[in-house]
Coordinates of all heavy atoms in Angstrom, one line a residue:
S271 N 4.8 10.9 14.9 CA 3.5 10.3 14.7 C 2.4 11.3 14.3 O 1.5 10.9 13.5 CB 3.1 9.5 15.9 OG 4.0 8.5 16.2
F272 N 2.4 12.5 14.9 CA 1.4 13.4 14.5 C 1.4 14.0 13.1 O 0.5 14.5 12.6 CB 1.5 14.6 15.5 CG 1.3 14.2 17.0 CD1 2.2 14.7 17.9 CD2 0.3 13.4 17.3 CE1 2.2 14.3 19.2 CE2 0.2 13.0 18.7 CZ 1.1 13.5 19.6
M273 N 2.5 13.7 12.4 CA 2.7 14.1 11.0 C 2.4 12.9 10.1 O 1.9 13.2 9.0 CB 4.2 14.5 10.8 CG 4.5 15.0 9.4 SD 6.3 15.4 9.3 CE 6.4 16.8 10.4
H274 N 2.7 11.7 10.5 CA 2.7 10.5 9.6 C 1.6 9.6 9.8 O 1.2 8.9 8.8 CB 4.0 9.8 9.7 CG 5.2 10.5 9.1 ND1 5.5 10.5 7.7 CD2 6.2 11.2 9.7 CE1 6.6 11.3 7.6 NE2 7.0 11.7 8.7
L275 N 1.0 9.6 11.0 CA -0.1 8.6 11.3 C -1.4 9.4 11.5 O -1.4 10.3 12.2 CB 0.2 7.8 12.5 CG 1.5 7.0 12.5 CD1 1.7 6.2 13.8 CD2 1.6 6.1 11.3
T276 N -2.5 8.9 10.8 CA -3.7 9.7 10.8 C -4.7 9.2 11.8 O -5.8 9.7 11.9 CB -4.3 9.7 9.4 OG1 -4.6 8.4 9.0 CG2 -3.4 10.4 8.4
N277 N -4.4 8.1 12.5 CA -5.4 7.5 13.4 C -5.8 8.5 14.4 O -5.0 9.2 15.0 CB -4.7 6.4 14.1 CG -4.1 5.4 13.2 OD1 -3.0 5.6 12.6 ND2 -4.6 4.2 13.1
V278 N -7.2 8.6 14.7 CA -7.7 9.6 15.5 C -7.1 9.4 17.0 O -6.9 10.3 17.7 CB -9.3 9.5 15.5 CG1 -9.8 10.4 16.6 CG2 -9.8 9.9 14.2
A279 N -7.0 8.1 17.3 CA -6.5 7.8 18.7 C -5.1 8.5 18.9 O -4.8 8.7 20.1 CB -6.4 6.2 18.9
I280 N -4.4 8.6 17.9 CA -3.0 9.2 18.0 C -3.2 10.7 17.9 O -2.6 11.5 18.7 CB -2.1 8.7 16.9 CG1 -1.7 7.2 17.3 CG2 -0.8 9.5 16.8 CD1 -0.9 6.6 16.2
Q281 N -3.9 11.2 16.9 CA -4.0 12.7 16.6 C -4.6 13.4 17.7 O -4.3 14.6 18.0 CB -4.7 12.9 15.3 CG -4.1 12.4 14.1 CD -2.7 13.2 13.9 OE1 -2.6 14.3 14.2 NE2 -1.8 12.5 13.3
K282 N -5.6 12.8 18.5 CA -6.2 13.6 19.6 C -5.3 13.9 20.7 O -5.7 14.7 21.6 CB -7.5 12.9 20.0 CG -7.2 11.5 20.8 CD -8.5 10.9 21.1 CE -8.4 9.6 21.9 NZ -9.7 9.0 22.3
K283 N -4.1 13.3 20.7 CA -3.1 13.6 21.8 C -2.2 14.7 21.4 O -1.4 15.2 22.2 CB -2.3 12.3 22.1 CG -3.1 11.1 22.6 CD -2.2 9.9 22.7 CE -3.0 8.7 23.2 NZ -2.2 7.5 23.2
A284 N -2.3 15.2 20.1 CA -1.5 16.3 19.7 C -1.9 17.6 20.3 O -3.1 17.9 20.6 CB -1.6 16.4 18.2
A285 N -0.9 18.5 20.6 CA -1.2 19.7 21.2 C -2.1 20.7 20.4 O -2.9 21.4 20.9 CB 0.1 20.4 21.5
D286 N -1.9 20.5 19.0 CA -2.7 21.3 18.2 C -3.8 20.6 17.5 O -4.3 20.9 16.3 CB -1.8 22.0 17.1 CG -0.9 20.9 16.4 OD1 -1.0 19.8 16.8 OD2 -0.2 21.3 15.4
Y287 N -4.3 19.6 18.1 CA -5.5 18.8 17.6 C -6.7 19.7 17.5 O -7.1 20.4 18.4 CB -5.8 17.5 18.5 CG -7.0 16.7 18.2 CD1 -7.1 16.1 17.0 CD2 -8.1 16.7 19.1 CE1 -8.2 15.3 16.7 CE2 -9.2 16.0 18.8 CZ -9.3 15.3 17.6 OH -10.4 14.5 17.3
D288 N -7.4 19.6 16.4 CA -8.7 20.4 16.1 C -9.8 19.6 16.7 O -10.4 18.8 16.0 CB -8.8 20.7 14.7 CG -10.0 21.5 14.3 OD1 -10.7 21.9 15.3 OD2 -10.3 21.9 13.2
S289 N -10.2 19.8 17.9 CA -11.3 19.0 18.6 C -12.6 19.4 18.0 O -13.6 18.6 18.0 CB -11.3 19.2 20.1 OG -11.4 20.6 20.4
E290 N -12.7 20.7 17.4 CA -14.0 21.1 16.9 C -14.4 20.3 15.6 O -15.6 19.9 15.5 CB -14.0 22.6 16.5 CG -15.3 23.1 16.0 CD -15.3 24.6 15.7 OE1 -14.3 25.3 16.2 OE2 -16.2 25.1 15.1
N291 N -13.4 20.0 14.8 CA -13.7 19.3 13.6 C -13.2 17.8 13.6 O -13.4 17.0 12.8 CB -13.0 19.9 12.3 CG -13.6 21.3 12.1 OD1 -14.8 21.5 12.0 ND2 -12.8 22.3 11.9
G292 N -12.5 17.5 14.7 CA -12.1 16.1 14.9 C -11.0 15.7 14.0 O -10.8 14.5 13.9
G293 N -10.4 16.6 13.3 CA -9.4 16.2 12.3 C -10.0 15.5 11.1 O -9.3 14.7 10.4
K294 N -11.3 15.6 10.9 CA -11.9 14.9 9.8 C -12.6 15.8 8.8 O -12.9 17.0 9.1 CB -13.0 14.0 10.4 CG -12.5 12.9 11.3 CD -13.6 12.1 11.9 CE -13.0 11.0 12.8 NZ -14.1 10.2 13.5
W295 N -12.8 15.3 7.6 CA -13.4 16.0 6.5 C -14.3 15.0 5.8 O -13.8 13.9 5.5 CB -12.3 16.5 5.6 CG -12.7 17.8 4.8 CD1 -13.6 18.7 5.1 CD2 -12.0 18.3 3.6 NE1 -13.6 19.7 4.2 CE2 -12.6 19.4 3.3 CE3 -11.0 17.8 2.9 CZ2 -12.2 20.2 2.1 CZ3 -10.5 18.5 1.8 CH2 -11.2 19.7 1.4
D296 N -15.5 15.4 5.5 CA -16.4 14.5 4.7 C -15.9 14.2 3.4 O -15.3 15.1 2.7 CB -17.8 15.2 4.6 CG -18.8 14.3 4.1 OD1 -18.8 13.9 2.9 OD2 -19.7 13.7 4.9
C297 N -16.0 13.0 2.9 CA -15.5 12.6 1.6 C -16.1 13.5 0.5 O -15.4 13.8 -0.6 CB -15.7 11.2 1.3 SG -14.6 10.0 2.1
R298 N -17.3 14.0 0.7 CA -17.9 14.9 -0.3 C -17.1 16.2 -0.5 O -16.9 16.6 -1.6 CB -19.3 15.2 0.1 CG -20.1 16.2 -0.8 CD -21.5 16.4 -0.4 NE -22.2 17.4 -1.2 CZ -22.1 18.7 -0.9 NH1 -21.5 19.2 0.1 NH2 -22.8 19.5 -1.7
H299 N -16.6 16.7 0.6 CA -15.8 18.0 0.6 C -14.4 17.7 -0.1 O -14.0 18.5 -1.0 CB -15.4 18.4 2.0 CG -16.7 18.9 2.7 ND1 -17.6 19.7 2.2 CD2 -17.1 18.6 4.0 CE1 -18.6 20.0 3.1 NE2 -18.3 19.3 4.2
L300 N -13.9 16.5 0.0 CA -12.7 16.1 -0.7 C -13.0 16.0 -2.2 O -12.2 16.5 -3.0 CB -12.1 14.7 -0.2 CG -10.9 14.2 -0.9 CD1 -9.7 15.1 -0.8 CD2 -10.7 12.8 -0.6
K301 N -14.1 15.4 -2.6 CA -14.4 15.3 -4.0 C -14.5 16.7 -4.6 O -14.0 16.9 -5.7 CB -15.7 14.5 -4.1 CG -15.5 13.0 -3.9 CD -16.9 12.3 -4.2 CE -16.7 10.8 -4.0 NZ -18.0 10.1 -4.3
L302 N -15.2 17.6 -4.0 CA -15.5 18.9 -4.5 C -14.1 19.6 -4.6 O -13.8 20.4 -5.6 CB -16.4 19.7 -3.6 CG -17.8 19.2 -3.5 CD1 -18.6 20.0 -2.5 CD2 -18.5 19.4 -4.9
H303 N -13.2 19.4 -3.6 CA -11.9 20.0 -3.6 C -11.1 19.6 -4.8 O -10.5 20.3 -5.6 CB -11.2 19.7 -2.3 CG -9.7 20.0 -2.3 ND1 -9.3 21.3 -2.0 CD2 -8.6 19.3 -2.6 CE1 -7.9 21.3 -2.0 NE2 -7.5 20.1 -2.4
L304 N -11.1 18.3 -5.1 CA -10.4 17.7 -6.2 C -11.0 18.1 -7.6 O -10.3 18.4 -8.5 CB -10.4 16.1 -6.0 CG -9.6 15.6 -4.9 CD1 -9.8 14.1 -4.7 CD2 -8.1 15.9 -5.0
M305 N -12.3 18.0 -7.6 CA -13.0 18.5 -8.9 C -12.6 19.9 -9.2 O -12.4 20.2 -10.4 CB -14.5 18.3 -8.7 CG -15.0 16.9 -8.8 SD -16.9 16.8 -8.5 CE -17.1 15.1 -8.5
S306 N -12.5 20.8 -8.3 CA -12.3 22.2 -8.6 C -10.9 22.4 -9.1 O -10.6 23.4 -9.8 CB -12.5 23.0 -7.3 OG -11.5 22.7 -6.3
R307 N -10.0 21.5 -8.9 CA -8.6 21.6 -9.3 C -8.2 20.6 -10.5 O -7.4 21.1 -11.3 CB -7.7 21.3 -8.1 CG -7.6 22.4 -7.1 CD -7.1 21.9 -5.7 NE -7.0 23.0 -4.8 CZ -8.0 23.6 -4.2 NH1 -9.2 23.2 -4.4 NH2 -7.8 24.7 -3.3
Y308 N -8.9 19.5 -10.6 CA -8.4 18.5 -11.6 C -9.5 18.0 -12.5 O -9.3 17.3 -13.4 CB -7.8 17.3 -10.9 CG -6.7 17.7 -9.8 CD1 -7.0 17.7 -8.5 CD2 -5.5 18.1 -10.3 CE1 -6.0 18.0 -7.5 CE2 -4.5 18.5 -9.3 CZ -4.8 18.4 -8.0 OH -3.9 18.8 -7.1
G309 N -10.8 18.5 -12.2 CA -11.9 18.1 -13.1 C -12.6 16.8 -12.6 O -12.1 16.0 -11.9
I310 N -13.8 16.7 -13.1 CA -14.7 15.6 -12.8 C -14.2 14.3 -13.2 O -14.2 13.3 -12.5 CB -16.1 15.8 -13.3 CG1 -16.7 17.1 -12.7 CG2 -17.0 14.6 -13.0 CD1 -18.1 17.5 -13.2
A311 N -13.6 14.2 -14.4 CA -13.2 12.9 -15.0 C -12.1 12.3 -14.1 O -12.1 11.1 -13.9 CB -12.7 13.1 -16.4
M312 N -11.1 13.1 -13.7 CA -10.1 12.5 -12.9 C -10.7 12.0 -11.5 O -10.3 10.9 -11.1 CB -9.0 13.6 -12.6 CG -7.7 13.1 -11.9 SD -7.9 12.7 -10.2 CE -8.2 14.3 -9.5
V313 N -11.5 12.8 -10.9 CA -12.1 12.3 -9.7 C -12.9 11.1 -9.8 O -12.8 10.2 -9.0 CB -12.9 13.5 -9.1 CG1 -13.7 13.0 -7.8 CG2 -12.1 14.7 -8.8
D314 N -13.7 11.0 -10.9 CA -14.5 9.7 -11.2 C -13.6 8.6 -11.3 O -13.9 7.5 -10.8 CB -15.3 10.0 -12.4 CG -16.6 10.8 -12.2 OD1 -16.9 11.1 -11.0 OD2 -17.2 11.2 -13.1
R315 N -12.5 8.7 -12.0 CA -11.5 7.6 -12.3 C -10.9 7.2 -10.9 O -10.8 6.0 -10.7 CB -10.4 8.1 -13.2 CG -9.4 7.0 -13.5 CD -8.5 7.4 -14.7 NE -7.7 8.6 -14.4 CZ -7.9 9.8 -14.8 NH1 -8.9 10.0 -15.7 NH2 -7.1 10.8 -14.4
L316 N -10.5 8.2 -10.1 CA -9.9 7.9 -8.8 C -10.9 7.1 -7.9 O -10.5 6.0 -7.3 CB -9.5 9.2 -8.0 CG -9.1 9.0 -6.6 CD1 -7.8 8.2 -6.5 CD2 -8.9 10.4 -6.0
F317 N -12.1 7.5 -7.8 CA -13.1 6.8 -6.9 C -13.5 5.5 -7.6 O -13.9 4.6 -6.8 CB -14.2 7.8 -6.6 CG -13.9 8.7 -5.4 CD1 -13.2 9.8 -5.7 CD2 -14.2 8.3 -4.1 CE1 -12.9 10.7 -4.7 CE2 -13.9 9.2 -3.1 CZ -13.2 10.4 -3.3
Y318 N -13.5 5.4 -8.9 CA -13.7 4.0 -9.4 C -12.6 3.1 -9.1 O -12.9 1.9 -8.8 CB -13.8 4.2 -11.0 CG -13.9 2.8 -11.7 CD1 -15.0 2.1 -11.7 CD2 -12.8 2.3 -12.3 CE1 -15.1 0.9 -12.3 CE2 -12.8 1.0 -12.9 CZ -14.0 0.3 -12.9 OH -14.1 -0.9 -13.5

Side-chain angles (χ1 to χ4, degrees):
S271 297
F272 301 132
M273 179 183 296
H274 290 279
L275 304 182
T276 61
N277 309 72
V278 174
I280 290 176
Q281 291 298 326
K282 67 182 182 181
K283 298 176 183 177
D286 49 357
Y287 174 66
D288 182 0
S289 58
E290 182 178 348
N291 295 312
K294 295 178 180 177
W295 207 23
D296 190 287
C297 283
R298 178 175 174 273
H299 295 310
L300 174 66
K301 287 183 178 180
L302 292 173
H303 170 82
L304 295 173
M305 286 178 182
S306 69
R307 286 160 174 75
Y308 309 105
I310 295 175
M312 189 285 293
V313 176
D314 285 347
R315 183 172 63 253
L316 171 63
F317 279 83
Y318 173 77

